[in-house]
């Protein structure tokens, strides 16, 4: 059968095939910047680990079949001269595969098995299924044959180094079908009344409902909206381990975490159509807030990192999130959010202010989210204008929420604090038409050719007009045909693939576009939006992009990039 198509076709070389809620994907990407020849089942429990390789075989020779791979949100297909193999998700932890005219070898990705690493393979007589157990993921992968036969196994119960796996084939020229489950220790033998066609149709409908919810405004003028929605939908995982809520990972490639500023952009994109999921995205890092009030750097299945933080954009994000939600959060929800945001703000006002200082500081470029930006070249422990600007917006948002909660004393407290920080920002860090950074230890100040120095434009309507206009002029110099370069292309420090030293990034684009628009620079904001949308429509949703060619760089299926496209495309559609 041919499944009804919903959503765009895409390359699994760039975007992994997965489904909402699943902790594994099907992809040739098996590690950072590492591509295998064959598709693998890649799990993201306990990190990114390729567990099983999936290799279509020529039935006549037993050799690897020459195939092409096609993918849409509901169906993955290998097609060769003699037949095909189809794969679809029956549930977040189970895929079904069927084939005709080709056999399939399922084998452990790693041959080495030690007492602490690798994958063990055996036949489970209780379930009449073959099982791979992975030390790396701590999970089991059970293969149940629904039709066809196992024509051979290798290294079952074998130890040491071996090629472990099985081959499944059809009987008498028919078709074969198997189920692969990711499970913990045990469950009843696999059974299902759903046909393969029914599970594909169910997945198709699930994605169709999602894209209709998050992008009902899409049209031919926003041609990448469905693919952007798929990137977000397929990167969403169910609560497991340290992930306390349904979570949109940054990617189901190697950037398989929730970082404590990335999550804000996903929350904003989801808010109108999937409000509960959006609120979960905003809240998740706060579930791991430490005693000092700091948010973790990142959260994933079995790891929460605190060695760095991320910038306090959460007041900015909450202000927009509340306006985008179809129904306002309850008083109880807002009270909890207020308390969490208050503690996060107090962290910056206490742990990150030197004695007698008004302005907070970063301890490393990683704290800013702009890890290696040239602003941090002279020193790393520095006071920067972007940090002060984000904190001002967060203080204003605390005042607004306190007002809604009837906490009048707190309204005055936060409003005064916002005024004090902004005054210090303009007094200490605005010099000769630019914002400068200041070393905490030395008191030295400097400016750079990096876009980070211009981020105070996010203050929008709070900035004096002459300063916002000057920042807008400087921002124009960073525009390439594809968007905002994070380092001036004329700078001696510019690097085409230099992370925050040149490439275009989604969060900087969103924050600057929003600040410009709120400051009244609509034409420039429109231009930035149009260039970034065109970039995504041509080059996809990479972690970042070459500013001079538009080529996608690093992780090629990044959710904050997809969400940023959805935000800009929606706003453009509504303006039109």
């Amino acid at each position: 059968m041919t499944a009804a198509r919903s959503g765009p076709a895409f390359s699994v070389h760039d975007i992994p095939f997965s489904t909402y809620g699943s902790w594994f994907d099907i992809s040739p990407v098996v590690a950072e910047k590492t591509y295998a020849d064959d598709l693998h089942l890649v799990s993201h429990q306990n990190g990114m680990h390729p567990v099983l390789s999936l290799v279509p075989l020529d039935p006549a020779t037993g050799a690897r079949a020459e195939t092409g791979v096609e993918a849409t949100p509901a169906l993955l297909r290998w097609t060769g001269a003699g037949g095909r193999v189809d794969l679809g998700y029956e549930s977040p932890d189970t895929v079904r595969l069927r084939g005709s005219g080709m056999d399939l070898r399922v084998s452990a990705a790693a041959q080495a098995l030690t007492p602490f690493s690798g994958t063990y393979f055996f036949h489970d007589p209780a379930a009449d299924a073959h099982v791979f157990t992975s030390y790396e993921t701590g999970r089991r992968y059970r293969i149940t044959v629904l039709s066809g036969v196992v024509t051979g196994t290798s290294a079952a119960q074998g130890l040491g180094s071996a090629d472990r796996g099985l081959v499944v084939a059809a009987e008498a020229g028919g078709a074969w079908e198997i189920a692969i489950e990711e499970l913990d220790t045990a469950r009843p033998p696999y059974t299902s009344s759903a046909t393969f066609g029914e599970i594909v149709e169910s997945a198709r409908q699930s994605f169709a409902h999602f894209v209709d919810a998050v992008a009902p405004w899409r049209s031919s003028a926003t041609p990448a909206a469905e693919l952007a929605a798929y990137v977000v939908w397929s990167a969403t995982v169910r609560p497991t381990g340290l992930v306390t809520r349904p979570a949109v990972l940054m990617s189901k490639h190697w950037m398989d975490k929730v970082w404590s500023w990335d999550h804000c952009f996903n929350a904003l994109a989801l808010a109108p159509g999937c409000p509960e999921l959006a609120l979960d995205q905003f809240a998740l890092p706060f579930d791991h807030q430490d005693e000092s009030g700091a948010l973790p750097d990142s959260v994933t299945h079995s790891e929460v990192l605190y060695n760095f933080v991320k910038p306090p954009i959460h007041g900015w994000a909450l202000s927009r999130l509340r306006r985008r939600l179809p129904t306002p959060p309850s008083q109880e929800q807002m009270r909890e959010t207020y308390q969490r945001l208050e503690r996060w703000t107090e962290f910056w006002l206490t742990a990150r202010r030197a004695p007698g200082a008004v302005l907070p500081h970063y301890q490393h470029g990683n704290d800013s989210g702009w890890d290696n930006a040239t602003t941090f070249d002279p020193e790393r422990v520095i006071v920067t204008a972007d940090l002060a600007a984000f904190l001002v917006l967060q203080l204003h948002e605390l005042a607004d929420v306190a007002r809604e909660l009837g906490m009048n004393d707190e309204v005055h407290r936060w409003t005064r604090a916002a005024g004090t920080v902004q005054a210090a920002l303009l007094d200490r860090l605005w010099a000769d038409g630019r914002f400068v950074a200041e070393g905490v230890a030395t008191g030295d100040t400097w400016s750079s050719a990096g876009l980070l120095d211009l981020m105070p434009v996010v203050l929008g309507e709070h900035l004096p007009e002459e300063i916002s206009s000057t920042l807008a002029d400087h921002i124009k110099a960073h525009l390439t045909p594809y968007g905002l370069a994070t380092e001036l292309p004329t700078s001696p420090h510019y690097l085409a693939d230099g992370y925050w030293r040149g490439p275009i990034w989604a969060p900087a684009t969103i924050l600057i576009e929003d600040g410009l628009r709120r400051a009244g620079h609509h034409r420039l904001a429109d231009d930035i939006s149009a260039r970034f949308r065109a970039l995504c429509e041509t080059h996809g949703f990479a972690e970042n992009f070459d500013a001079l060619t538009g080529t996608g760089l690093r992780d090629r299926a990044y959710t904050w990039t997809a969400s940023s496209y959805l935000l800009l495309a929606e706003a453009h559609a509504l303006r039109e």
Side-chain angles (χ1 to χ4, degrees):
M1 67 168 281
T2 300
R5 177 174 163 178
S6 173
F10 58 90
S11 168
V12 291
H13 187 83
D14 293 332
I15 300 173
F17 181 78
S18 192
T19 197
Y20 185 99
S22 181
W23 278 90
F24 68 84
D25 62 78
I26 310 298
S27 172
V29 180
V30 295
E32 182 176 355
K33 300 180 183 178
T34 304
Y35 293 79
D37 292 332
D38 301 303
L39 298 188
H40 283 64
L41 185 153
V42 181
S43 179
H44 298 274
Q45 300 200 59
N46 291 327
M48 180 190 186
H49 302 290
V51 180
L52 304 176
S53 68
L54 307 171
V55 184
L57 303 177
D58 183 331
T61 66
R64 178 186 281 104
E66 291 296 323
T67 61
V69 178
E70 303 168 350
T72 60
L75 180 66
L76 176 69
R77 172 172 291 166
W78 293 260
T79 304
R84 75 186 194 209
V85 175
D86 293 339
L87 182 151
Y89 275 84
E90 181 173 10
S91 69
D93 64 14
T94 302
V95 289
R96 291 260 289 269
L97 296 94
R98 68 173 185 181
S100 60
M102 284 192 288
D103 301 343
L104 183 74
R105 177 169 176 79
V106 182
S107 57
Q111 291 194 343
L113 175 64
T114 77
F116 304 104
S117 65
T119 301
Y120 174 62
F121 175 56
F122 66 97
H123 179 263
D124 177 7
D128 190 22
H130 291 83
V131 177
F132 297 84
T133 69
S134 166
Y135 275 101
E136 281 72 22
T137 71
R139 301 299 182 274
R140 298 174 177 229
Y141 301 84
R142 187 169 73 180
I143 291 84
T144 302
V145 177
L146 308 180
S147 63
V149 294
V150 174
T151 60
T153 63
S154 57
Q157 302 185 49
L159 304 178
S161 183
D163 184 10
R164 298 171 175 81
L166 72 157
V167 174
V168 60
E171 291 185 288
W176 57 263
E177 188 168 345
I178 63 174
I180 303 179
E181 304 165 88
E182 183 178 55
L183 55 102
D184 294 339
T185 303
R187 64 173 59 160
Y190 173 86
T191 60
S192 175
S193 60
T195 67
F196 187 88
E198 288 169 343
I199 71 162
V200 172
E201 175 60 17
S202 176
R204 185 193 70 79
Q205 291 183 16
S206 175
F207 173 68
H209 292 157
F210 181 85
V211 72
D212 284 344
V214 301
W217 38 262
R218 67 193 186 279
S219 70
S220 59
T222 55
E226 290 195 357
L227 186 57
Y230 174 74
V231 170
V232 175
W233 179 78
S234 64
T236 303
V237 294
R238 66 189 185 279
T240 303
L242 296 171
V243 174
T244 50
R245 306 164 183 263
V248 181
L249 302 179
M250 288 308 99
S251 175
K252 281 184 181 169
H253 288 325
W254 59 87
M255 301 294 281
D256 55 353
K257 298 183 179 185
V258 176
W259 273 270
S260 293
W261 69 313
D262 310 43
H263 69 112
C264 292
F265 301 92
N266 288 332
L268 291 175
L270 291 165
C274 300
E276 291 185 7
L277 184 60
L279 289 170
D280 281 333
Q281 301 324 295
F282 185 79
L284 193 151
F286 286 93
D287 292 344
H288 297 279
Q289 197 167 18
D290 76 4
E291 292 183 0
S292 74
L295 298 184
D297 185 34
S298 62
V299 179
T300 192
H301 173 270
S302 50
E303 176 185 82
V304 180
L305 298 181
Y306 291 95
N307 54 323
F308 293 107
V309 293
K310 283 294 174 278
I313 69 165
H314 302 82
W316 170 87
L318 180 61
S319 173
R320 277 134 199 82
L321 181 63
R322 291 195 294 136
R323 293 201 298 269
R324 289 178 59 77
L325 291 168
T327 303
S330 67
Q331 288 280 295
E332 181 180 351
Q333 286 175 310
M334 286 311 304
R335 191 169 289 107
E336 180 184 40
T337 300
Y338 174 85
Q339 292 168 349
R340 289 174 157 195
L341 192 65
E342 177 184 32
R343 293 181 59 219
W344 176 222
T345 306
E346 291 287 6
F347 164 80
W348 290 99
L349 295 176
T350 53
R352 289 301 180 90
R353 288 205 291 197
V358 175
L359 298 177
H361 59 265
Y362 292 130
Q363 295 176 343
H364 186 277
N366 289 2
D367 285 342
S368 74
W370 296 53
D371 308 359
N372 66 336
T374 51
T375 299
F376 294 92
D377 280 359
E379 300 179 39
R380 257 62 65 194
V381 182
I382 61 175
V383 174
T384 66
D386 68 295
L387 174 54
F390 292 141
L391 193 59
V392 169
L393 293 179
Q394 193 150 295
L395 291 163
H396 280 302
E397 179 63 7
L398 281 169
D400 287 345
V401 177
R403 187 175 296 107
E404 289 190 15
L405 295 174
M407 304 163 64
N408 293 331
D409 289 345
E410 295 298 283
V411 174
H412 298 309
R413 172 192 173 197
W414 298 125
T415 301
R416 285 195 304 271
T420 300
V421 173
Q422 180 160 331
L425 164 65
L426 300 181
D427 180 56
R428 293 190 62 86
L429 301 183
W430 180 253
D432 300 322
R434 296 194 66 89
F435 280 109
V436 298
E438 180 179 273
V440 173
T442 63
D444 293 343
T445 61
W446 62 88
S447 62
S448 77
L451 189 62
L452 184 61
D453 291 7
L454 308 179
M455 287 304 296
V457 76
V458 76
L459 284 168
E461 70 277 14
H462 299 291
L463 276 176
E465 184 177 349
E466 65 275 14
I467 292 180
S468 73
S469 294
T470 300
L471 290 176
D473 288 339
H474 289 318
I475 287 167
K476 289 176 188 176
H478 285 261
L479 268 178
T480 75
Y482 303 98
L484 290 169
T486 46
E487 181 80 6
L488 282 174
T490 56
S491 165
H493 304 294
Y494 176 88
L495 294 171
D497 187 9
Y499 227 50
W500 294 93
R501 301 171 80 92
I504 295 165
W505 286 78
T509 301
I510 291 292
L511 288 161
I512 287 175
E513 191 267 357
D514 176 70
L516 287 168
R517 202 171 292 284
R518 288 187 292 109
H521 301 286
H522 296 286
R523 183 174 297 177
L524 180 55
D526 287 343
D527 190 8
I528 291 169
S529 171
R531 295 187 197 207
F532 187 80
R533 286 183 282 113
L535 174 65
C536 293
E537 289 160 6
T538 304
H539 295 282
F541 304 104
E543 184 180 355
N544 53 66
F545 302 86
D546 187 309
L548 301 182
T549 68
T551 303
L553 302 172
R554 308 292 174 125
D555 195 311
R556 299 298 298 275
Y558 216 71
T559 55
W560 76 356
T561 308
S563 288
S564 294
Y565 175 84
L566 291 171
L567 287 167
L568 294 175
E570 177 192 18
H572 172 70
L574 295 179
R575 284 193 299 271
E576 290 295 303

